[in-house]
Amino acid sequence: MSPARLLLALCAWSVSMSQNQKPPVNWLAASVLLSTPIIALIAIPWYAMNHDFSTSAWVLMVVYLYMNGLGITAGYHRLWAHKAYDAHWSVQIVLMLWGTAAIQNSILNWASGHRVHHRFVDDVDKDPYSVNRGFWFSHIGWMLRDYPSGRLDYSNSPDLLKNKIVMFQHKYYLPLVLLMNIAVPMLVGYAIGDFWGGVLLVGLLRLVLSHHFTFFINSLAHMWGTRPYTDENTARDNFWLALLTYGEGYHNFHHIFQYDYRNGVKWWQFDPTKWLIFALSCVGLTSNLKRIPNFTIRKAQLLMQFKRAQEQLEQKQRLLPNVDIEALKQRIAQEYDAFVATMNEWGKLKEEWYNEKKEAVMQKWEDAAFKTRFNEIEYRLKMQSKRMQLLMQQMVQPIPA
């Protein structure tokens, strides 16, 4: 082999080795995330069998668990990462402390990384916790090594760099973590007369549950559930996950409408984070709660229904080529024509409203005339969505030969 070919082979081998080499282990994160569940699995059953935990310790564990969860969902996520609402400084301090207790990095690091996730969702190279790299990676693996996709870049967070509470926590993160995860559980245990109950349940078990309940949002919420609003990404809506994630389980809605302060947009959907934010707004502690217009939400739902209906029709044609499904095709075509007409009417009405507003002729929506017309169009979309649901149920049923 000539020297030139040998040099080229060595270069190719070097590049191949560098590409296959795993990123370095993040020893601090790995130590916390892997050791805490192991210690909990050993220490808590042993103590329960040889001693006992008080009822107060169990109750306070659940209370502190919820405080941590809401610190992440209402604070880290919806307030700081997405700016879905504004909060009084006192609320910010409380949410900052609750979120710190969850040990999921500082607000600045967490929110900056989450904004990257939304920008590059599902991209295996740029999304910090892309589910397309597997359940383990998206759930916890992405934190165990210093992957290039997880490198910090604060260029997307100038607002957070100016926030004094965020920067205070970032600067003093370690002492605040020790305060909220060691001092507080010990004080709780001492106060209720069950010191080890405070340490093991309020401190250790609460932390492990808090970690993995939240991590489900990055993993299972991108794998298990329905996609009623968009299929452009892997995010799913899942009621059962909402129960464990303080309302974050309605993830399909969140990924298409990330600036809405609600994840469970319907009034009956379990979203304690939404309820907390709204309740605080009633007493003036939160404000500027962002809501996506119902019309826009209906539009997204209907577009997905049309897409699913078309897919089901194509599937029926492949499976039952001799069955006449022209009637169903015509009904879907009629519904789609009605949808397009409604969209056109809404566009014209919106333009008319803007023109009236620009000319300063309108007073309080022209005595509610514009609002009434908008509501009529929204109601038509609602009824059309129900008709499409019935039509899709009919398509699922076998067609007689």
Side-chain angles (χ1 to χ4, degrees):
M1 181 180 291
S2 66
R5 289 186 177 180
L6 179 61
L7 182 60
L8 286 173
L10 287 172
C11 288
W13 177 80
S14 177
V15 170
S16 176
M17 289 296 293
S18 63
Q19 289 176 342
N20 294 328
Q21 188 176 8
K22 290 184 178 180
V25 174
N26 183 337
W27 288 108
L28 179 59
S31 299
V32 173
L33 293 173
L34 298 179
S35 67
T36 48
I38 294 173
I39 296 171
L41 285 171
I42 296 172
I44 293 174
W46 177 86
Y47 188 86
M49 288 187 295
N50 291 278
H51 304 279
D52 200 5
F53 292 115
S54 65
T55 302
S56 299
W58 283 106
V59 170
L60 290 172
M61 185 274 290
V62 174
V63 171
Y64 204 36
L65 174 66
Y66 245 79
M67 290 164 63
N68 290 183
L70 292 172
I72 295 296
T73 59
Y76 276 47
H77 190 205
R78 303 190 199 183
L79 175 61
W80 286 300
H82 292 297
K83 300 189 287 185
Y85 67 101
D86 297 327
H88 189 267
W89 62 266
S90 60
V91 173
Q92 292 192 50
I93 289 175
V94 170
L95 292 177
M96 178 269 287
L97 291 173
W98 289 2
T100 302
I103 313 185
Q104 294 187 30
N105 220 322
S106 69
I107 296 166
L108 180 62
N109 290 347
W110 195 103
S112 176
H114 190 72
R115 290 175 182 180
V116 173
H117 165 64
H118 271 266
R119 183 180 179 187
F120 300 109
V121 61
D122 297 333
D123 188 309
V124 294
D125 295 317
K126 297 179 180 179
D127 183 349
Y129 27 90
S130 171
V131 76
N132 288 330
R133 297 174 74 170
F135 170 82
W136 172 259
F137 180 87
S138 61
H139 188 75
I140 193 173
W142 68 277
M143 294 176 282
L144 303 181
R145 292 182 179 273
D146 293 323
Y147 290 95
S149 56
R151 285 176 186 157
L152 296 171
D153 179 7
Y154 301 139
S155 62
N156 65 357
S157 308
D159 56 314
L160 300 179
L161 293 170
K162 298 175 184 176
N163 187 305
K164 293 181 179 179
I165 294 172
V166 170
M167 296 312 296
F168 172 83
Q169 189 230 28
H170 188 71
K171 183 177 181 180
Y172 299 105
Y173 183 67
L174 182 57
L176 287 171
V177 163
L178 297 176
L179 170 69
M180 300 302 293
N181 285 276
I182 296 179
V184 169
M186 290 174 68
L187 288 172
V188 167
Y190 178 79
I192 63 175
D194 184 2
F195 179 81
W196 286 108
V199 172
L200 293 176
L201 296 185
V202 182
L204 182 59
L205 181 59
R206 178 270 318 166
L207 178 61
V208 173
L209 294 177
S210 177
H211 275 163
H212 292 278
F213 286 174
T214 308
F215 299 165
F216 283 151
I217 302 167
N218 297 333
S219 56
L220 287 181
H222 282 264
M223 302 175 74
W224 176 32
T226 61
R227 291 192 277 187
Y229 301 100
T230 179
D231 60 357
E232 295 298 316
N233 57 69
T234 56
R236 262 74 168 176
D237 277 10
N238 190 307
F239 165 75
W240 300 106
L241 286 180
L243 296 178
L244 297 177
T245 58
Y246 321 99
E248 298 283 319
Y250 301 105
H251 213 51
N252 189 254
F253 176 87
H254 172 65
H255 262 273
I256 190 173
F257 303 122
Q258 60 178 296
Y259 299 110
D260 198 309
Y261 85 95
R262 307 160 298 178
N263 272 19
V265 66
K266 296 179 173 60
W267 68 267
W268 48 265
Q269 290 178 321
F270 184 80
D271 188 355
T273 305
K274 167 188 70 177
W275 299 329
L276 173 66
I277 295 169
F278 179 77
L280 291 172
S281 73
C282 295
V283 293
L285 291 175
T286 60
S287 59
N288 193 27
L289 277 59
K290 295 182 176 68
R291 299 175 178 86
I292 300 299
N294 288 335
F295 182 88
T296 305
I297 297 171
R298 294 279 182 200
K299 177 183 175 182
Q301 284 181 298
L302 268 168
L303 285 172
M304 279 301 297
Q305 287 175 323
F306 282 123
K307 187 173 184 177
R308 295 270 163 73
Q310 188 63 39
E311 290 172 352
Q312 288 188 19
L313 276 179
E314 292 174 357
Q315 184 179 16
K316 278 188 177 293
Q317 276 190 315
R318 287 196 302 269
L319 297 175
L320 302 168
N322 298 322
V323 173
D324 184 12
I325 58 172
E326 286 302 317
L328 287 174
K329 280 186 176 181
Q330 290 177 6
R331 284 188 60 186
I332 292 176
Q334 290 171 357
E335 290 292 347
Y336 190 76
D337 289 341
F339 171 73
V340 171
T342 302
M343 290 295 102
N344 291 335
E345 184 178 346
W346 179 84
K348 291 176 183 178
L349 181 59
K350 198 77 172 177
E351 184 179 358
E352 182 182 346
W353 178 71
Y354 278 128
N355 290 335
E356 291 286 348
K357 189 174 183 181
K358 189 182 297 183
E359 295 171 7
V361 175
M362 188 176 59
Q363 294 182 354
K364 290 190 176 179
W365 289 67
E366 195 75 0
D367 296 327
F370 277 98
K371 188 174 182 179
T372 300
R373 291 164 67 187
F374 274 122
N375 287 340
E376 289 174 354
I377 293 175
E378 183 182 323
Y379 179 77
R380 294 215 306 264
L381 279 187
K382 181 179 179 180
M383 293 298 100
Q384 188 174 29
S385 179
K386 290 184 176 181
R387 292 197 303 272
M388 285 299 298
Q389 288 177 358
L390 292 173
L391 184 58
M392 292 180 72
Q393 290 174 4
Q394 180 180 343
M395 284 193 294
V396 170
Q397 298 171 358
I399 300 177

